[in-house]
């Protein structure tokens, strides 16, 4: 089969440092717009009152579960395609892309068919009653009906990333989230749909984004991969390859949500309801700082995947270490900024008179909690590298170790066995994350050492 050497493919097969920079910048931009959308969405809905905000919040864990599964399939497709590009296996890359799209369509349909009839019971099981549940059911039905679109968006984006086309992956993200920010007030207030309007705005945005992705993949056909049902050859091995990275990636995202649940409980234990208000506010700011690392991690998966497929361990190692170095330098600047402007940042969350009571604790949190970001690249790039080489289970173990074992474990110990109170939560999270990052980095070095050894043995 003839090979189209697109710019993205040439980038993946070229200088790993250049590839990392060129691929990570668009991903950082796309993820930044997503973060802005998350904030804007909450602001628009909050104008409808506490019941509407509670209704959206009620469905949020269910929707995050769907997004986690969809994003995981995207990562699985991205890794499998990148490895075949490195191995110059055009036919294999095409087949992976076709498998990914079909798998995404099946998963989307299954999600809609299984959750739509049960959504009332699921939401009521969370403890909500009355008008809040009614609003939540109306809101969730719109998004569940469009589950296929949600999954296709993530899979399509993963295919583009896998072939080094980070620009179009970014265009899709910016278009979707940017459109959503604009459409939210139109559907909620201008059309007077209320909270359901927020769901319609999300769905319309996703459908338009999906049309663009479908146009690039199926009509314009200027991508590296050719998705054709005629050429489709069912393969259990390809399916296992996608899921071996995809499912652990989904579970990793879910483990982060579970960790947040426990950390909220620990914050309540340490400082009551005010403790949770301080923690969630400081955590939101800290998560803004993690956006550059996420962009770099997505690029690392593609670049290390291509190097692994090429059986070029040296290139793989250069990409892995360079990603850590760049992300480390960025996070140093981010942490310094947050700590320096902690009082000004805290004001954004405490401008009302009633919120003044948490201002001191919030400034303290903002000067402690973000410190863990400095070493986060050492662990997160290792996870991304494991995904790149197709060993998703190692990435999952590392994430569970970081979030549920070290982060939650240390926070609990510092609150339970010291008199530090809320400050103990921040110190525990920082120490837990830093220990996990060092352990992850050492594991990554050992794995690359083993790959070098195998490569040396094969060449003798």
């Amino acid at each position: 089969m003839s090979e189209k050497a697109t710019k993205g493919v040439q980038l993946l097969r070229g200088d790993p440092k250049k590839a990392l920079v060129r691929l990570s910048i668009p991903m950082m931009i796309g993820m930044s717009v997503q973060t802005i959308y998350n904030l804007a969405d909450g602001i628009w809905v909050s104008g409808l009152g506490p019941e509407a905000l509670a209704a959206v919040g009620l469905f949020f864990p269910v929707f995050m579960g769907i997004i986690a599964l969809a994003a995981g399939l995207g990562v699985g497709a991205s890794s499998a395609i990148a490895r075949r590009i490195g191995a110059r296996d055009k036919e294999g890359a095409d087949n992976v892309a076709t498998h990914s799209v079909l798998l995404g369509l099946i998963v989307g349909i299954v999600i809609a068919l299984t959750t739509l009839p049960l959504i009332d019971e699921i939401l009521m099981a969370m403890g909500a009653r009355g008008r809040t549940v009614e609003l939540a059911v109306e809101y969730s039905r719109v998004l569940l009906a469009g589950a296929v679109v949600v999954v296709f968006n993530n899979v399509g984006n993963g295919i583009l990333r896998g072939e080094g086309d980070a620009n179009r992956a970014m265009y899709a993200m910016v278009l979707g989230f940017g459109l959503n920010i604009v459409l939210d007030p139109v559907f909620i207030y201008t059309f007077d749909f209320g909270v359901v309007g927020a769901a319609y705005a999300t769905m319309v945005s996703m459908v338009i984004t999906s049309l663009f992705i479908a146009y690039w993949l199926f009509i314009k056909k200027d991508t590296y991969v050719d998705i054709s049902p005629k050429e489709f050859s069912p393969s259990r091995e390809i399916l296992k390859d996608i899921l071996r990275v995809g499912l652990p990636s989904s579970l990793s995202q879910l483990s982060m949500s579970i960790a947040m649940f426990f950390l909220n409980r620990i914050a309540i234990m340490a400082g009551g309801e005010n403790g949770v208000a301080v923690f969630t506010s400081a955590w939101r700011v800290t998560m803004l700082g993690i956006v550059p690392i996420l962009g770099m991690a997505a690029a690392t998966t593609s670049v290390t995947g291509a190097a692994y497929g090429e059986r070029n361990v040296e290139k793989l190692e250069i990409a892995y270490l360079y990603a850590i170095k760049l992300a480390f330098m960025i996070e140093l600047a981010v942490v310094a900024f947050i700590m320096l402007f902690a009082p000004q940042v805290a004001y954004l969350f405490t401008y009302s008179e009633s919120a003044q009571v948490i201002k001191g604790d919030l400034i303290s949190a903002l000067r402690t909690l973000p410190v863990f970001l400095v070493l986060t690249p050492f662990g997160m790039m290792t996870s991304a590298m494991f995904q790149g080489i197709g060993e998703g289970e190692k990435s999952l173990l590392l994430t569970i170790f970081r979030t549920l074992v070290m982060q939650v474990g240390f926070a609990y110990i510092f609150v339970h066995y010291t008199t530090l109170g809320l400050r103990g939560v921040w110190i525990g999270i920082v120490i837990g994350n830093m220990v996990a990052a060092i352990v992850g980095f050492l594991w990554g070095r050992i794995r690359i050492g083993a790959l070098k050894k195998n490569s040396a043995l094969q060449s003798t």
Side-chain angles (χ1 to χ4, degrees):
M1 191 174 288
S2 63
E3 189 183 66
K4 298 172 286 187
T6 61
K7 284 182 181 176
V9 168
Q10 288 171 352
L11 193 63
L12 282 177
R13 289 178 181 161
D15 178 4
K17 290 183 179 181
K18 186 181 174 185
L20 267 169
V21 173
R22 292 274 295 277
L23 293 178
S24 61
I25 290 171
M27 294 315 299
M28 287 180 196
I29 294 167
M31 286 169 182
S32 298
V33 175
Q34 181 178 359
T35 307
I36 293 164
Y37 155 70
N38 287 336
L39 291 170
D41 195 50
I43 291 165
W44 288 125
V45 173
S46 65
L48 295 167
E51 279 186 339
L53 206 54
V56 174
L58 199 61
F59 180 62
F60 189 71
V62 180
F63 195 53
M64 279 300 98
I66 296 167
I67 293 288
L69 187 57
L73 289 176
V75 172
S78 181
S79 170
I81 289 168
R83 275 178 277 126
R84 279 157 183 81
I85 285 171
R88 296 183 185 268
D89 178 9
K90 170 78 169 73
E91 198 173 331
D94 291 348
N95 216 2
V96 167
T98 310
H99 272 81
S100 302
V101 170
L102 290 173
L103 183 62
L105 293 175
I106 292 165
V107 168
I109 291 165
V110 169
I111 288 169
L113 292 177
T114 53
T115 53
L116 271 170
L118 301 170
I119 194 62
D120 305 53
E121 286 86 347
I122 292 168
L123 295 173
M124 287 182 76
M126 291 181 186
R129 296 289 180 269
R131 182 66 181 148
T132 301
V133 169
E134 288 173 29
L135 289 172
V137 169
E138 288 173 30
Y139 175 82
S140 57
R141 277 183 180 152
V142 176
L143 294 173
L144 290 174
V148 170
V149 180
V150 177
V151 180
F152 175 74
N153 260 352
N154 282 273
V155 170
N157 210 289
I159 291 168
L160 293 170
R161 287 198 315 270
E163 61 169 65
D165 197 347
N167 282 336
R168 277 202 281 205
M170 174 194 70
Y171 298 150
M173 289 176 81
V174 170
L175 175 71
F177 294 117
L179 204 56
N180 213 332
I181 292 166
V182 175
L183 291 179
D184 259 349
V186 174
F187 278 91
I188 295 170
Y189 300 108
T190 308
F191 294 163
D192 201 23
F193 286 170
V195 72
V196 184
Y200 281 125
T202 300
M203 222 50 253
V204 170
S205 305
M206 286 191 168
V207 167
I208 291 170
T209 306
S210 285
L211 290 173
F212 271 91
I213 293 172
Y215 170 71
W216 293 328
L217 293 175
F218 307 123
I219 299 167
K220 196 176 184 189
K221 289 194 170 187
D222 61 345
T223 52
Y224 172 79
V225 293
D226 292 303
I227 301 171
S228 169
K230 290 178 187 173
E231 304 284 335
F232 176 61
S233 172
S235 165
R236 194 175 290 178
E237 284 307 307
I238 285 178
L239 204 57
K240 275 166 65 179
D241 197 10
I242 296 166
L243 294 176
R244 187 184 171 189
V245 174
L247 286 180
S249 177
S250 299
L251 293 171
S252 289
Q253 291 188 47
L254 291 174
S255 80
M256 292 178 206
S257 300
I258 295 164
M260 276 301 296
F261 169 79
F262 285 115
L263 288 172
N264 275 332
R265 295 288 295 269
I266 294 165
I268 287 175
M269 205 163 71
E273 286 185 7
N274 282 352
V276 172
V278 173
F279 171 60
T280 51
S281 301
W283 191 256
R284 254 180 214 184
V285 175
T286 307
M287 285 303 100
L288 286 172
I290 219 159
V291 169
I293 308 178
L294 293 173
M296 193 72 74
T300 302
T301 297
S302 297
V303 179
T304 55
Y308 184 75
E310 205 179 312
R311 298 191 176 182
N312 190 332
V313 184
E314 189 185 345
K315 189 191 274 191
L316 190 155
E317 185 177 32
I318 289 168
Y320 168 60
L321 294 177
Y322 191 65
I324 290 172
K325 181 183 169 183
L326 277 184
F328 173 74
M329 286 161 67
I330 292 168
E331 292 310 310
L332 270 179
V334 168
V335 172
F337 179 86
I338 295 171
M339 291 174 80
L340 192 64
F341 293 99
Q344 289 82 357
V345 174
Y347 175 76
L348 297 172
F349 297 91
T350 58
Y351 59 85
S352 69
E353 203 174 320
S354 59
Q356 286 292 309
V357 68
I358 68 166
K359 191 174 182 179
D361 282 334
L362 183 53
I363 291 170
S364 170
L366 289 169
R367 284 183 170 154
T368 311
L369 193 59
V371 171
F372 80 81
L373 290 174
V374 176
L375 288 191
T376 298
F378 289 84
M380 205 168 274
M381 296 310 142
T382 302
S383 282
M385 182 268 291
F386 282 145
Q387 288 176 339
I389 66 175
E391 296 176 358
E393 68 283 354
K394 289 187 174 72
S395 176
L396 173 62
L397 281 173
L398 204 51
T399 305
I400 289 172
F401 176 68
R402 175 174 60 84
T403 55
L404 290 170
V405 179
M406 303 305 287
Q407 196 170 260
V408 172
F410 271 97
Y412 180 81
I413 288 165
F414 272 88
V415 167
H416 212 65
Y417 297 103
T418 73
T419 55
L420 289 167
L422 265 182
R423 193 165 166 77
V425 181
W426 325 141
I427 293 169
I429 290 171
V430 168
I431 292 174
N433 268 289
M434 286 187 154
V435 171
I438 293 163
V439 170
F441 179 63
L442 291 173
W443 193 8
R445 298 298 290 146
I446 290 165
R447 185 69 190 99
I448 288 175
L451 288 173
K452 279 181 173 177
K453 197 175 177 182
N454 288 342
S455 179
L457 286 171
Q458 283 172 9
S459 62
T460 54

